[in-house]
Each structure stands twice: as structure tokens, then as C-alpha cells.
Amino acid sequence: MMIVTTRRLAAAAALVLAVNPASACVKLQGELQQGGLVWGQVAPGSRVSLDGDSLDVLADGTFIAGFGRNADTAAVLQVEGAATCRQTLSVASREYNIQRVEGVPQQTVTPPPELLARIARERALVNAAKNRRIERPDLLGQALAGFHWPVQGRISGVYGSQRVYNGTPGNPHYGLDVAVPTGTIVRAPAAGIVTLAEPDLFYSGGTIILDHGYRLSSSFLHLSKVRVAVGDEVPAGAIIGEVGATGRATGPHLDWRMSWRSERIDPQFLVPELPMSQP
């Protein structure tokens, strides 16, 4: 098996977006780049849209928006209400680590037909969990105040990377992998409500989805133990599971992913720098 790295991840993790110009429609916080999450505040009762799609606006005027791995580099933010304005946002592009892997047995790349029904059933479970609408301003407020690392250890995989197997591109990696031993405690990075708690999914093994409100969610994959149940409300720092190597994993690690609506966002933008992390 031969692996050739063709590109490196160029964008470093950060916590706060560069200061908006004075003429900005709304002052935003977060990361205005591919994989980033941003949030801002408008006058209560305002309507906010991004590229024509309505955003959730909380009673205090807070709103959030996320940008996927391959988001366009320009997006239009529209505010209507007491103060109406329109702004074109410049979304920074990123380069991702692309690896070409040759000589991989095809049965490890493409699942056998007898498993396709199971995979489709599990995908529907995950999608239903992420699409639940939990209108909890208190949860979202706690999340935007700051996320914590669910585990600490060596970073072994980054958001946006992708492998090309035998010339066929695989799905991009949307998570942040932290390599730690099996049994390491996993803690909630922010308060939330458990919308999925499955011990054995085909691809992700032991899997938890934690909703932070308004369809902002964290997913935790390859767990050896799931220590919460659907419907549990947990505070930041609560024990939710244990690291493992279940599903399609080659070794023990936590794969932490985040989503806003249908967009996959990069968790590393939302946490402080991890001193012990390594590329």
C-alpha cells in the first residue's frame, strides 16, 4: 500500500474572526472561512437570511450560521427589521490534506451488498437525530460562550482531509481525531441534549449525537462505551462515553464532529489550542 500526501491543511485553528470593517452590516464572531461557524446579534424581532435561507433568530437577536468544507467564498447576509442592511461576506478558502492510496483491496473500500440496507437504516437514524429542532436558547448560549475538549491527546486526523483509494475519491473526513487509549473518558464539550446513543453503527461504531440547540450538534464516533441515553440533558464536562476503536476504525481514538443544519463544521475552530497536540 502506497500513500502520497499531495496537499497540507493550510488554515490553522482560531477562536475569533478578524474585526469586521466599520461599515459591516452585523459584527460577527467566530471563523468566517470554510468549516467555520459564525454568530452575531441583531435587533430583537429582526429577520436574518444567508444566501436567501432564513436563519434562526433568538429572542435576544442572536443568530448563528455555518460554512461547509467546500462553501462558496462569498455569501450574502441580509437583515430586515428595525435596522435593515445587506452585506456580502468574504469566506476564506482552505487547502486540505489529500492522500492517494493505491493497492487497497476493493472489499475494504466498497461495503458488500448485504450490508447496504443496514447502512441506509443507520444513516436515516443519524439524519433524524441531527434534524431534530431543539429551541433552547440557554443551551446555545452556553455553547457559544465556549467549547471544551471532550478528550485531550495527540491529534491524529483533521477536518477536511480526504483519501483517494485506487483512484476513487473517498468521502472527506469531517471530524477531528484525537488518539487516546481505549476506555479514556469522553466529556460533553458543551451543554446539550442527547439525540442519538447507539452502541454499534457500521461505520462509526459506538456513536453519540449531542444537540446544543437550533441544530448545532456534536457527534462522537468509535466509542467503546455509550454512557448516556436519548433524551438525557447533560452539562458541559459531563461524562458521556469512553473512547474505543469500534466501527471502521484502525485504532483507538475519538472522532469528534460538528454540524450546523446540513453543514459539517470544524470543531477545532471552537476550542482553545491544545498544547499537547501534534500534527
Side-chain angles (χ1 to χ4, degrees), residues 127-194:
N127 288 339
K130 289 183 178 180
N131 286 329
R132 283 191 56 186
R133 184 173 176 81
I134 298 176
E135 298 184 356
R136 288 284 301 274
D138 56 325
L139 294 180
L140 183 61
Q142 291 177 65
L144 297 182
F147 281 77
H148 306 279
W149 287 88
V151 297
Q152 294 192 19
R154 180 177 64 88
I155 294 177
S156 58
V158 293
Y159 172 94
S161 59
Q162 185 178 30
R163 285 184 171 182
V164 179
Y165 295 99
N166 302 339
T168 302
N171 291 327
H173 184 251
Y174 290 111
L176 179 64
D177 291 343
V178 184
V180 288
T182 295
T184 300
I185 293 298
V186 178
R187 298 182 182 275
I193 295 174
V194 178

Side-chain angles (χ1 to χ4, degrees), residues 63-79:
F63 68 91
I64 60 172
F67 301 92
R69 178 183 185 270
N70 300 313
D72 292 339
T73 55
V76 176
L77 184 72
Q78 177 83 30
V79 179

Side-chain angles (χ1 to χ4, degrees), residues 30-54:
E31 273 296 325
L32 192 54
Q33 63 175 292
Q34 292 171 337
L37 181 77
V38 297
W39 58 96
Q41 194 165 22
V42 294
S46 299
R47 297 181 301 278
V48 182
S49 64
L50 184 69
D51 286 339
D53 293 331
S54 295

Side-chain angles (χ1 to χ4, degrees), residues 70-90:
N70 300 313
D72 292 339
T73 55
V76 176
L77 184 72
Q78 177 83 30
V79 179
E80 299 176 355
T84 297
C85 60
R86 178 184 176 92
Q87 179 184 356
T88 298
L89 305 178
S90 179

Side-chain angles (χ1 to χ4, degrees), residues 13 19 36 40 65-66 103 112 122 125-126 147 150 172 182-184 194 200 208 214 238 265:
V19 176
E122 293 175 352
L125 279 175
V126 170
F147 281 77
T182 295
T184 300
V194 178
D200 183 27
I208 294 170
Y214 297 91
I265 59 177

